[in-house]
Structure formats: structure tokens, C-alpha cells
Amino acid sequence: MNRSPRGESSASMAASPGRAVRCLLLAMTTLALTAVSAASRAAFILEIDTDGMDDGVLTFNAGFSFGGDTTFAPQSVTSPALGTTGGDSIFGGDGVALADTYLYSYSPGSQADNLVVPGGTDLGGGNFATGLVGGGAGTYRVYATWPFTTNVSGGDTRYTISTPGVVDVVVDIDQNGGGAGAGSEWILLGDIVYSDLLSAIVVMQQPTQANTFVSMRAYGLLFERLPDDGTVPTPGTLALLGVALAGLGLSRRRKLH
């Protein structure tokens, strides 16, 4: 005798909501995992002073140099931004005919990431880490940090990000407290596409108005690769993943009992 749909057992009917919940949790987990698929927890930090001590002695990073006619800059206190090791910062410079100039160079094609930063980590200023491993072609996000200050007097600080075959990214930032960049955290400068693996991403930093005693300040830069779709995980996304995984675990325990 054929069984009518109305003849289904009450147990089967009761199980349907459970299956629906599990399907929903699986979908939530898939969505969250997709959003944090970049969570390989990596970035590249370029600190001007590499000795890890705020001691007045500068041990310059090989990726940093002075440009123009600048050959020297005094040291100052460190920046407490995420991932920094406590070295000195610098300010001003001895430029005369040309603007005080700091140069930074990072080659994703040959330099491995050197900093663990989980995807979704708050870098400051409402920006969150991608967590994606760098190296190779792709779009790279560039940040700067300097100690909190109120006495930069060379005008806004200009950062020019460049790499072969791509239009320069230029941004002017007020480094003084209360301006666009308060310092002591990672301030987003911009994104640039990197494709020539034999070249570098070069960042030039200069004051926009004058070579005053404190024309600008600097501690270092942070580079991280962006996912191809531009999605950056946030704490909310990570919380969604936690809820989904916890829900799946609870569902499985109930099934076992």
C-alpha cells in the first residue's frame, strides 16, 4: 500500500526543523570562512630603527634611506602601533635646497612577510587587517605610523606611493593630533597594484610647505596584500564564524544524544 505524505511519522516531521537549522549554520559557516579565507595572518612591517630600543641610537633598516639633499634626521620617541618593536622614530631633516625626504622600499617579490597580524585585527582609524600572505603580484595596502604629536610645522606630510607601470598614489596628511592622522596607530595611506616582481613598492615622504625643525615625523610603514575581491574581514565577520561553529557543535551534540 502506498504511503501518503500525511502518513509520515511525527519523528520525521520533528527532524525537519533540526535539518533546517544545520543547513543554515553550514551556510553561515561557509559565508564566514569565505570572508576570512585570507586569514593567513601576515603583513610586512618596515621600521626605520631596527634595534627595538627607544634609546636615541638609530640602526637603520635596509629598506629605508634619505632622499634629495637630506642626509640626517634627529631621533624621537617610539610609536606604540600594533606590531612595532619599540625602536626610535625620526623627525625633520637637514634638507636645504630640496624638501626633507624619507624613502622606503618594499619588494613583495623577494621579501617575505615578517609580522603576524590575524585577519580582522583593528589597526586603528577604522581599518582592519586582511591577514593575507604577501608576496607576488596583487594589490597592496600601505599604512604609516609615527608617535602622537602636536608640533609638526612643515605643513601636511605628503606620501607618494609608486611602483613601475602604475600611476602614483599621492596623499597629504595632517600628522598633528586632531588631524586626519593622529599618530600612534596605523594610518591608511592608500592601495597600489604591484605586478613587476623584479621591482619594489617605493614610498616617498616629504613636508608640503617647509623644512622646519619638525617638518614631519616617521616611525615606519606597514604593507599588507588585499584579497582579489577586496574583502577585508572585520570582527563582526569573525564573530559570525564563531557563532556558526558553536551552533554546529551544539547541533551535533544534540544529535548524538
Side-chain angles (χ1 to χ4, degrees):
M1 182 175 70
N2 293 331
R3 175 177 292 179
S4 166
R6 294 185 178 180
E8 290 181 357
S9 68
S10 58
S12 176
M13 294 294 287
S16 295
R19 287 198 296 268
V21 170
R22 287 195 295 274
C23 288
L24 176 60
L25 290 172
L26 282 170
M28 291 171 63
T29 303
T30 300
L31 176 63
L33 285 173
T34 299
V36 298
S37 60
S40 300
R41 307 186 174 189
F44 185 87
I45 186 171
L46 196 166
E47 298 173 282
I48 295 172
D49 180 21
T50 62
D51 63 17
M53 295 180 288
D54 185 5
D55 58 359
V57 178
L58 292 165
T59 303
F60 287 108
N61 192 307
F64 173 83
S65 62
F66 295 110
D69 60 355
T70 305
T71 62
F72 166 82
Q75 64 78 220
S76 187
V77 298
T78 192
S79 166
L82 179 74
T84 57
T85 60
D88 296 294
S89 65
I90 60 173
F91 67 92
D94 61 352
V96 179
L98 301 173
D100 292 334
T101 303
Y102 306 157
L103 297 173
Y104 311 80
S105 179
Y106 163 53
S107 301
S110 60
Q111 291 180 283
D113 290 325
N114 59 5
L115 182 66
V116 174
V117 184
T121 299
D122 187 358
L123 298 175
N127 297 298
F128 300 95
T130 69
L132 189 65
V133 172
T139 300
Y140 285 80
R141 181 154 285 181
V142 185
Y143 296 87
T145 190
W146 56 90
F148 181 84
T149 182
T150 58
N151 68 344
V152 169
S153 55
D156 287 350
T157 299
R158 175 166 297 166
Y159 295 87
T160 302
I161 310 170
S162 61
T163 194
V166 178
V167 176
D168 291 350
V169 175
V170 181
V171 59
D172 294 348
I173 293 179
D174 178 0
Q175 290 192 309
N176 288 315
S184 295
E185 60 184 1
W186 289 111
I187 304 299
L188 178 62
L189 303 181
D191 304 336
I192 193 164
V193 176
Y194 173 80
S195 59
D196 184 349
L197 300 185
L198 299 180
S199 68
I201 297 173
V202 176
V203 180
M204 180 171 65
Q205 178 180 349
Q206 298 174 313
T208 56
Q209 293 183 11
N211 288 349
T212 58
F213 182 62
V214 187
S215 59
M216 57 183 177
R217 289 186 180 275
Y219 178 88
L221 301 181
L222 181 73
F223 301 84
E224 59 170 1
R225 187 175 175 182
L226 280 175
D228 292 338
D229 62 2
T231 301
V232 177
T234 65
T237 302
L238 299 177
L240 174 64
L241 174 59
V243 169
L245 292 176
L248 280 174
L250 180 60
S251 176
R252 289 183 176 181
R253 284 196 297 274
R254 286 177 175 174
K255 186 175 181 181
L256 289 174
H257 293 301

